[in-house]
Amino acid sequence: MSGHEQDNFDAKPSPGEESSPVETDGPIDPVDLIVGIDLGTTNSLVAVADARGPRVLRLGERLAGDDQEDDQEDLVPSVIRYAGEVVEAVGAAAAADLKIHPTRTVFSVKRFMGRSYADRRKEASVVPYSVVEGPRGLASVEIDGVIRTPQQISADLLSHLRDQASAALGQAVKRAVITVPAYFDDGQRQATRDAGRLAGLEVVRILNEPTAAALAYGIGSRGAAETIVIYDLGGGTFDVTVLEVMPPDPDDAEGESIFRVLATSGDSHLGGDDFDRVLIRDLIDEAIAGGDGTDRARRLAILREVGARAKIALSEADATRLVLDGSGVLPDVDRVLTRAAFEEAARPLVDRTLDACRRAVKDAGLEISKIDRVVLVGGSTRMPMIREAVEQWFGSPGYVALDPDRVIALGAAVQGSILAGVRRDALLLDVIPLSLGLETAGGAVAKLVVRNTMVPTKAVEMFSTSVDGQVNVALHVVQGEREMVADCRSLARFELRGLPPMPAGIPQIEVTFNVDANGVLGVEAVERRSGRRARVQVVPSNGLTREEVAQIEADSYTHAREDMLVHRVVDLAVNAALDVKWIQEALARVRDVLPASTTESVESHLAIVEEFIASARKDPRSVDADAFHAAKESLDKASMPVHEAAITRSLRGDGTEAS
Ligand code: AMP
């Protein structure tokens, strides 16, 4: 284990248009360029940070014809294939043909970094490539008679990453921060450093992965000292780290925060793969029991894949269907898997992670109540059961705003930018630079937290629905100073689902915006009657520069009058639509008792107002707010007799019930 490391609104039933933040990026001064590299067991990533904040580079190594998701391009499989002295393929290309060249393709080499062969004999026996005792007793890999140490193999991976990153940035990458697990000993750290050097990189720092995760969230850049836990559940490993964070000395302009590892714990053989297995345990048992060796391997490979897919589906849905077309090797299967059953079956696995948390907190000499916050890292922390367990155990929701697969690379880039001196320009403020709000009916914005509010801060507001019987409510969190969503920056969308059907305006949806000391925004929506709740978390300052903030502020002044008018038109349209609906319904009920002239007058007024509503929905800027308001007032006046007749009828009880 390492020691010190100095190192009244209506929520909309459907989503509207999303405003897109500016995505362009000028090159970083070459002298300042220090990339962050997450050299992972399974995947590796490269990120950079500039005034806009950290971002992972798309390394454009997409394979022709593969169906990789767009957003997966930035994850490079830590897989490499050799032919004698030659590197034959790296990354996705090597991973794709792993089964064709099992003995020449190296993966998970990180498990052997800086370790002796004697130490890693067991790990060595489960990989298809040949692990031998190399120089100085180190675990090494032999392919076609060529022996390579894990650092040489990592160097080949890093060279590939360096070249790809240089191409992506359009400038040569020479300096890097590389991350390692907190439990890496000196030998393993040195091996990682050597790998960087062999790849022609100046390794300006070896950074602990948990520290990187904390940096990505801006922890330690301001405020008081904190004790945090990093809960990292990946595909095959679980690591928990207790970190003490001390913010920089305010008198020292160049000062850095200090991150001290207080304790680590975990399980090197507990991860997402185990969750896949519990989901289809019976099928796996059957597959193991029957058939010959090759059959068994094939079946297990198929089952692993469907298991993982079903598990990922259950992170979003309450149930998923598992269909297996036996095609000879497996039985036909068609069953529904529920999240509830999955969670029950996986409970022992979750408990094992919590046991490790307990050990780590105890080893750190702390009580759980002393932990200020938990950061979630690793793809498996997308499972709701993990988020809930962590929240319950630690007593507060964990940080999940950043992508758990990318947070380490992002933090490494932040460290790189601090070391390069770029970070000084970053948006790390004690106040909220831009207002935070929620989209309301018609595409207007209700601001809950106004700009320049000090952090931490909290705001609560009640909202309702605009459509009868709405069971799902879409919430859209935005940032900016303008009145309309289209002129603001979209931060996040989420849904409050499963509301009991109620007439429009009846549900009471309490929305809370909570910005903590690190600038992380948590938004929670609760429907009072049913208790249904949903939430989302974001880092609002990500992707924004000071110049942009200033521009957004200036724009809000320029457009203030126009914005106010548009907002008024949108509100008028929402209210008028409810009036029109009510008047039409009432008119249908009492038409028989009204003189034709009254009916005709009301109908013509309705038509005028409906036209205004239609124009407002199409383009609120084209509508004259005063004329719209006048038309609505006239309709209200003209429809008085309808109103009176409806009330009379309902009092006499001789008609359909008045609303
Ligand atoms: P990592 O090693 O951090 O990339 O984590 C990979 C693991 O995360 C694998 O076991 C994946 O199946 C798992 N994973 C990725 N996305 C999800 C998701 N949405 N729900 C549950 N597990 C996921």
Side-chain angles (χ1 to χ4, degrees), residues 5-7 34-37 47-50 52-55 176-180 204-222 226-230 241 243-248 254-261 373-377 399 401-403 406-420 423-424 426-428 516-520 539 541-542:
E5 189 183 88
Q6 196 63 349
D7 357 72
I34 301 178
V35 300
I37 301 179
V48 294
D50 52 20
R52 197 184 293 282
R55 69 183 192 285
V177 168
I178 303 178
T179 58
V180 295
V204 288
R205 185 165 296 177
I206 293 291
L207 181 68
N208 281 334
E209 289 163 6
T211 301
L215 283 167
Y217 278 102
I219 292 173
S221 39
R222 62 196 141 188
E226 281 191 271
T227 308
I228 61 170
V229 161
I230 313 292
T241 310
L243 274 186
E244 182 181 45
V245 189
M246 271 154 307
E254 300 288 313
E256 274 191 63
S257 316
I258 296 171
F259 292 84
R260 199 154 68 95
V261 176
R373 68 188 80 246
V374 184
V375 178
L376 301 189
V377 178
Y399 270 179
L402 301 176
D403 185 323
R406 293 165 175 80
V407 61
I408 289 172
L410 294 171
V414 168
Q415 179 68 76
S417 71
I418 293 172
L419 293 170
R423 190 66 177 169
R424 282 189 294 276
L427 264 181
L428 288 171
D516 72 15
N518 294 312
V520 177
V539 183
S541 64
N542 266 7

Side-chain angles (χ1 to χ4, degrees), residues 42-43 233-235 272-273 276 308 311-312 315 378-380 382-383 405:
T42 316
N43 291 303
L233 186 63
D273 303 349
D276 303 348
K311 172 190 74 177
I312 288 170
S315 287
S380 299
R382 291 199 182 89
M383 287 186 284
D405 287 319

Side-chain angles (χ1 to χ4, degrees), residues 44-346:
S44 295
L45 300 91
V46 185
V48 294
D50 52 20
R52 197 184 293 282
R55 69 183 192 285
V56 176
L57 296 179
R58 293 175 170 264
L59 298 183
E61 58 142 14
R62 207 175 166 146
L63 289 179
D66 74 5
D67 58 357
Q68 243 177 345
E69 291 281 306
D70 248 5
D71 67 357
Q72 294 294 314
E73 280 173 52
D74 48 5
L75 297 176
V76 177
S78 305
V79 182
I80 186 161
R81 185 171 75 242
Y82 294 99
E85 297 286 346
V86 181
V87 173
E88 210 171 56
V90 190
D97 291 339
L98 197 148
K99 289 201 184 75
I100 306 173
H101 310 284
T103 57
R104 293 199 288 119
T105 309
V106 186
F107 59 89
S108 293
V109 74
K110 190 171 175 178
R111 290 189 185 264
F112 300 105
M113 278 295 258
R115 305 309 294 264
S116 70
Y117 176 72
D119 220 32
R120 279 288 176 269
R121 203 185 291 268
K122 201 167 145 231
E123 299 273 342
S125 67
V126 296
V127 292
Y129 51 87
S130 161
V131 180
V132 297
E133 184 162 351
R136 287 171 286 125
L138 288 175
S140 300
V141 175
E142 180 173 359
I143 291 168
D144 298 339
V146 182
I147 294 178
R148 291 178 179 86
T149 60
Q151 43 269 63
Q152 284 168 323
I153 295 165
S154 299
D156 290 335
L157 287 168
L158 284 167
S159 293
H160 175 80
L161 293 170
R162 186 205 58 206
D163 293 347
Q164 295 275 323
S166 299
L169 284 164
Q171 65 190 79
V173 169
K174 298 202 176 90
R175 300 195 292 166
V177 168
I178 303 178
T179 58
V180 295
Y183 58 76
F184 257 28
D185 63 22
D186 287 344
Q188 292 168 297
R189 283 165 199 266
Q190 190 53 46
T192 307
R193 206 177 264 287
D194 291 345
R197 196 174 34 77
L198 287 170
L201 286 166
E202 181 194 342
V203 182
V204 288
R205 185 165 296 177
I206 293 291
L207 181 68
N208 281 334
E209 289 163 6
T211 301
L215 283 167
Y217 278 102
I219 292 173
S221 39
R222 62 196 141 188
E226 281 191 271
T227 308
I228 61 170
V229 161
I230 313 292
Y231 178 106
D232 180 348
L233 186 63
T237 56
F238 173 65
D239 295 314
V240 55
T241 310
V242 185
L243 274 186
E244 182 181 45
V245 189
M246 271 154 307
D249 180 350
D251 296 331
D252 178 0
E254 300 288 313
E256 274 191 63
S257 316
I258 296 171
F259 292 84
R260 199 154 68 95
V261 176
L262 298 182
T264 64
S265 182
D267 188 329
S268 56
H269 293 99
L270 171 62
D273 303 349
D274 300 284
F275 287 78
D276 303 348
R277 280 195 285 272
V278 300
L279 197 55
I280 48 168
R281 185 169 282 150
D282 59 328
L283 295 175
I284 289 180
D285 289 347
E286 256 175 62
I288 291 172
D292 61 26
T294 8
D295 252 18
R296 198 175 299 143
R298 248 182 88 194
R299 287 182 202 183
L300 285 174
I302 298 171
L303 286 174
R304 254 197 298 274
E305 213 176 296
V306 294
R309 221 176 307 135
K311 172 190 74 177
I312 288 170
L314 287 178
S315 287
E316 295 300 322
D318 291 333
T320 186
R321 212 169 133 206
L322 183 127
V323 183
L324 264 183
D325 160 15
S327 22
V329 277
L330 283 160
D332 287 345
V333 177
D334 185 352
R335 59 168 76 154
V336 171
L337 302 171
T338 66
R339 189 193 282 177
F342 175 39
E343 293 186 345
E344 197 184 319

